[in-house]
Amino acid sequence: DAMVIQNPRYQVTQFGKPVTLSCSQTLNHNVMYWYQQKSSQAPKLLFHYYDKDFNNEADTPDNFQSRRPNTSFCFLDIRSPGLGDAAMYLCATSRKASRGSYNEQFFGPGTRLTVL
Amino acid sequence: RKEVEQDPGPFNVPEGATVAFNCTYSNSASQSFFWYRQDCRKEPKLLMSVYSSGNEDGRFTAQLNRASQYISLLIRDSKLSDSATYLCAVNNGIKAAGNKLTFGGGTRVLVKP
């Protein structure tokens, strides 16, 4: 089945220790997104890639970086995690926009990050 | 004012009853609208896209009111398994290849026997 996969599902890191979260997709979608979701809050878009074009949100901290080496994979790097970065990190994909397309986004299962 | 707002609930619904709730958005240029279902500690799952004419999928009906800038979701004959948080998502209206969505904070629905 075509899907969005995230690894690991749970990640524990220490304050300030870099961490990388991964996302892969078999949907062959052009667009990949990274969201941060804290408890009882809306998913918050950090950035997205349209193919290789990187689009950062204005309020995404510099501490968060991303890489997309190919269509299937996208990584979220947190350079120096703080206690406030503990959250669920969700990867999503969608087809590129086109006339008549609603561009639904499909989410992976998420990585729950704990910062000690 | 938030871009996308939802009543957080919870909506306590007797099994078999009907429940409806809205999501308001502030960007009049928004073009696409979605309802997602999110179970506790799980990812959002697409429930339905919301078409301008309104659409129905089984017990679920979604409506769009562009004039008042809100979308609605109605659940008929509620099942215990419908208990979840329902997130609305609205695109930013900018014509670009990536469809940026803004999510509401979710409406929690609890269906009770």
Side-chain angles (χ1 to χ4, degrees):
Chain A
D1 286 342
M3 55 175 39
V4 182
I5 302 163
Q6 290 188 245
N7 284 303
R9 296 291 306 278
Y10 301 91
Q11 176 73 57
V12 180
T13 191
Q14 291 179 330
F15 183 94
K17 186 174 180 182
V19 67
T20 294
L21 311 182
S22 75
C23 176
S24 63
Q25 53 125 345
T26 60
L27 297 162
N28 204 30
H29 283 170
N30 299 88
V31 194
M32 295 185 77
Y33 309 80
W34 278 105
Y35 289 87
Q36 179 194 67
Q37 187 178 26
K38 296 185 177 180
S39 182
S40 301
Q41 295 185 20
K44 179 181 180 297
L45 183 64
L46 297 173
F47 24 60
H48 76 278
Y49 275 95
Y50 170 57
D51 288 335
K52 294 183 178 179
D53 291 336
F54 178 70
N55 299 270
N56 198 28
E57 293 302 297
D59 57 354
T60 297
D62 292 340
N63 197 27
F64 292 87
Q65 303 286 320
S66 186
R67 296 169 284 135
R68 190 179 185 186
N70 55 52
T71 300
S72 300
F73 285 86
C74 196
F75 299 97
L76 170 62
D77 300 308
I78 309 177
R79 294 193 298 189
S80 182
L83 298 179
D85 296 329
M88 172 83 96
Y89 289 88
L90 294 160
C91 173
T93 73
S94 72
R95 291 188 302 274
K96 67 178 182 180
S98 61
R99 189 171 181 171
S101 170
Y102 276 78
N103 306 113
E104 297 93 342
Q105 290 186 19
F106 298 92
F107 285 83
T111 295
R112 187 164 295 279
L113 178 68
T114 300
V115 182
L116 301 177
Chain B
R1 182 185 173 188
K2 290 182 181 178
E3 288 185 58
V4 181
E5 290 196 85
Q6 296 184 250
D7 183 337
F11 284 59
N12 293 300
V13 184
E15 192 176 8
T18 296
V19 61
F21 41 89
N22 295 337
C23 165
T24 59
Y25 61 95
S26 61
N27 186 350
S28 60
S30 295
Q31 295 295 320
S32 57
F33 310 86
F34 307 91
W35 283 106
Y36 284 81
R37 172 197 169 121
Q38 187 171 31
D39 293 296
C40 188
R41 300 178 72 85
K42 301 282 190 180
E43 76 275 23
K45 292 188 176 177
L46 182 66
L47 183 64
M48 54 201 307
S49 304
V50 186
Y51 304 134
S52 56
S53 56
N55 48 304
E56 186 175 312
D57 183 2
R59 298 181 293 107
F60 297 84
T61 300
Q63 297 277 350
L64 166 63
N65 185 318
R66 284 193 185 273
S68 300
Q69 292 185 203
Y70 72 87
I71 60 174
S72 64
L73 182 67
L74 181 145
I75 308 173
R76 282 184 300 277
D77 188 23
S78 298
K79 311 292 185 190
L80 297 177
S81 57
D82 294 333
S83 296
T85 296
Y86 292 86
L87 301 170
C88 68
V90 178
N91 89 328
N92 64 1
I94 297 173
K95 292 184 180 179
N99 186 33
K100 287 174 54 173
L101 297 179
T102 299
F103 283 81
T107 295
R108 191 168 171 219
V109 173
L110 295 173
V111 182
K112 300 189 174 181

